[in-house]
Amino acid sequence: MKYLFLAIMTLQSFIMVAQDNAFYPGKIVPDDRGIHINAHGGGLLYHDGTYYWFGEHKGAHSSAAFVGVTSYSSSDLYHWKYEGVALSVESDPQSDITQGCILERPKVIYNEKTGKFVLYFHLELKGQGYKAARVGVAVSDKVTGPYTFLKSYRPNAGIWPINMTKGQRLDKTKASDFEHRGNKDWRKAVVDGLFTRRDFSGGQMSRDMTLFVDDDGKAYHIYSSEDNLTLQLAELSDDYLSYTGKYVRIAPGGRNEAPALFKRKGTYFMITSGCTGWKPNTARLFTAHSIWGPWTKHPNPCVGIDARLTFHSQSTFVQPVIGKKDAFIFMADRWTPENPIDARYIWLPIRFENGLPILEWFDKWDLSIFEKD
Ligand code: GAL
């Protein structure tokens, strides 16, 4: 009996790690060692025929960073090879990225001009909860690293967003003028830049984030700012290591997190979540004809069962399938804060209906779905 039980367990673990050419959203995704991929809140980079997946290494008991950013590689998006730690947290307690800091949503882009790989992430300084709201920047000559940490800071100190009016810039209203957050007057003040002004000299808050490289090679950092109430989109310098100073506010007061941006037929799409921490909520969809906006909000792109909760997940990235026309994969995280390492990946194909993305659940799917349109 005991041996039968052991045989079943072995068979079961074999089935769990056996990887065929398909995606199983919400199931364990084993790497080449048979270990569930540990790259949460991540993003992909396609470089020289290979996809690289970067994400947060998480432990079993804490969501804080004790390892850093991990990377994996794949030629087909189904089979992933562990490539090690791309950016390590540091043992020096003085370092911004000391062990135990919060390091989230890493994204890597490649700079054609400098030949360097540039990694951006959301950083919270150790022991300060989510107060610091900084962006971190690291760089490497090699795609899988090791990445060298350069700096962490709040973007665009002393610079106004280009879509903030003169009246909004000069407004003297302060957060302390309001007895209660959340009432109508406060909401209007937020829309009018209450927190943009508060953070003007020290730099804008930067939490959940992504990077996007446009067809012309210009890159953008999109981040939840202003107490997570408003998204900002900032243009990066030619070497991608700093900002040009040109930035906009998007959906002021809309409470958007987890931005994932992509482009199709000249239209920019952005899928985001609301702000409910690790708990899933309803996804949001925005489109724009210029990256600078205006960004138009559309209804929830998810349909079918559990559409209201984004299939129990939160967006992190959208990856075009290279070599296939109009093929995009929506990537999201199903968080398990009680056991962060076990969080699952929800990858779903994006279907377009009347030019807008639609997301529906599949227990199992593969890339041939894109040929069926
Ligand atoms: C989520 C965010 C995650 C993480 C979490 C912490 O809203 O998207 O990246 O910061 O909150 O509660």
Side-chain angles (χ1 to χ4, degrees), residues 143-281:
V143 58
T144 52
Y147 283 76
T148 306
F149 174 64
L150 296 181
K151 58 190 165 184
S152 85
Y153 62 133
R154 286 188 172 190
N156 294 308
I159 303 168
W160 292 113
I162 58 169
N163 62 348
M164 207 162 150
T165 64
K166 196 167 171 209
Q168 289 173 334
R169 295 174 194 195
L170 294 176
D171 195 333
K172 291 277 176 283
T173 315
K174 294 188 302 299
S176 54
D177 296 342
F178 297 90
E179 227 174 280
H180 303 290
R181 268 173 88 102
N183 67 20
K184 204 164 143 258
D185 292 342
W186 179 87
R187 286 205 305 271
K188 183 176 180 310
V190 167
V191 171
D192 285 336
L194 184 68
F195 296 118
T196 333
R197 285 193 303 274
R198 179 196 63 189
D199 295 333
F200 178 74
S201 52
Q204 299 294 316
M205 295 174 89
S206 177
R207 292 203 181 113
D208 276 13
M209 56 141 280
T210 196
L211 296 176
F212 176 75
V213 182
D214 211 339
D215 309 326
D216 59 2
K218 276 204 181 304
Y220 303 88
H221 176 216
I222 302 97
Y223 49 97
S224 290
S225 194
E226 307 179 24
D227 284 7
N228 290 357
L229 292 159
T230 298
L231 287 166
Q232 295 186 356
L233 178 148
E235 186 179 67
L236 299 186
S237 56
D238 279 353
D239 61 8
Y240 299 169
L241 298 179
S242 62
Y243 298 92
T244 62
K246 185 173 177 185
Y247 74 109
V248 278
R249 305 174 69 219
I250 299 176
R255 298 174 191 269
N256 287 282
E257 280 194 324
L261 214 132
F262 63 105
K263 189 180 186 183
R264 174 185 182 257
K265 296 185 180 169
T267 300
Y268 298 88
F269 296 89
M270 181 161 53
I271 298 176
T272 68
S273 74
C275 298
T276 52
W278 303 116
K279 293 201 175 71
N281 54 53

Side-chain angles (χ1 to χ4, degrees), residues 17 45 54 93 111 137 141 159 168 215 221 314 341 360:
V17 298
L45 169 72
F54 299 88
N111 190 298
V137 185
D141 292 326
I159 303 168
Q168 289 173 334
D215 309 326
H221 176 216
Q314 185 184 29
I341 195 173
E360 63 189 315

Side-chain angles (χ1 to χ4, degrees), residues 327-339:
F328 298 88
I329 302 176
F330 170 74
M331 298 169 49
D333 297 282
R334 183 176 286 174
W335 302 113
T336 49
E338 63 295 342
N339 182 12

Side-chain angles (χ1 to χ4, degrees), residues 298-310:
H298 301 273
N300 181 8
C302 303
V303 296
I305 193 157
D306 289 334
R308 213 177 46 80
L309 292 178
T310 319

Side-chain angles (χ1 to χ4, degrees), residues 44 58-59 117 120 145 164 191 230:
L44 264 52
K58 287 196 183 288
F117 299 88
Y120 274 57
M164 207 162 150
V191 171
T230 298

